[in-house]
Amino acid sequence: MLPLPGRFNTAVRSLVAQRRAATDCQWKDVVFERQFDLFSVDDARAVEQEALDSGYRFEYSATVSLDSEPDKYKRVDREARTFAEGLDSDGRRQVGVGDNVIKKSRTVTGPVALVSTIEQVMEFLTDGIPPGTIAVIGDSGGTLTAPIIEGFAGVICLGGTVRSHLGILAREYDVPTLMNCKINDLKNGDVVELEVTAAPPASDAYELGDTGHARIWLIENEG
């Protein structure tokens, strides 16, 4: 079991077992009618606080999480989000890495569109998304781009994990997507290729830091 879920589950089981024993009742008599006597919302908050007090910080899914509860989440290091451009082992110009959400049989290539405002989303809704467009999105919450995500040929997201809301939407609409990306500066119109043939991260990848195995190559620079 993963370290954090294991910590939570152990704490919940221990507390519930102690309280059930104190009732001197059968499990079937308390599990449905008195479940909040066994484990309450305050108990859940206390378990979470214990993890935070130990130094653990959660991966954020949407930037609003950082604004509303900044002490719970890992802060974004802007420098850590950049990628040192160079040639990969095949001699190709690599400009980024990320975590693949859906393993595909072929890579995806297309021009990028930097999407960060509601006005851009409304323009895409009104005028349509040019065929083959690969969106570059900063927020992994998915709220901004949910109305148009199925129109993209691919997505590069600069935050979150494959389990973030945007990752869930990508799987639902079968949109090739890389999460948690580190990229070199890309401009609107740059043509990139996404290695969506890479395996998605293992279940313990974010606990162990074993991420960033899908590559992003620059095919044609607009500038």
Side-chain angles (χ1 to χ4, degrees), residues 1-19 38-58 72:
M1 183 176 291
L2 303 183
L4 184 64
R7 186 186 306 181
F8 268 71
N9 289 344
T10 298
V12 171
R13 288 173 178 169
S14 176
L15 188 57
V16 168
Q18 292 174 23
R19 290 182 177 169
L38 298 178
F39 193 79
S40 67
V41 172
D42 287 339
D43 293 327
R45 289 173 177 155
V47 173
E48 178 186 74
Q49 190 59 52
E50 183 179 352
L52 294 172
D53 290 344
S54 73
Y56 186 89
R57 291 297 180 269
F58 298 99
K72 287 186 178 182

Side-chain angles (χ1 to χ4, degrees), residues 118-139:
I118 294 175
E119 288 74 19
Q120 288 175 291
V121 172
M122 293 304 298
E123 185 175 338
F124 280 134
L125 280 171
T126 302
D127 301 334
I129 300 173
T133 298
I134 294 176
V136 178
I137 302 169
D139 193 333

Side-chain angles (χ1 to χ4, degrees), residues 211-223:
T211 58
H213 296 298
R215 294 170 291 182
I216 303 170
W217 297 285
L218 183 66
I219 305 301
E220 180 181 343
N221 192 310
E222 181 68 12

Side-chain angles (χ1 to χ4, degrees), residues 45-119:
R45 289 173 177 155
V47 173
E48 178 186 74
Q49 190 59 52
E50 183 179 352
L52 294 172
D53 290 344
S54 73
Y56 186 89
R57 291 297 180 269
F58 298 99
E59 297 280 354
Y60 75 93
S61 177
T63 52
V64 67
S65 300
L66 292 174
D67 296 332
S68 61
E69 297 180 294
D71 295 335
K72 287 186 178 182
Y73 297 93
K74 296 178 182 178
R75 302 301 302 179
V76 179
D77 183 346
R78 293 295 179 186
E79 291 298 322
R81 284 296 174 197
T82 61
F83 181 81
E85 179 183 326
L87 300 181
D88 66 9
S89 58
D90 298 324
R92 305 183 65 190
R93 187 177 175 186
Q94 186 177 347
V95 293
V97 293
D99 302 332
N100 190 24
V101 175
I102 314 166
K103 186 174 182 179
K104 297 289 188 178
S105 60
R106 301 176 62 182
T107 60
V108 173
T109 302
V112 303
L114 311 182
V115 183
S116 60
T117 67
I118 294 175
E119 288 74 19

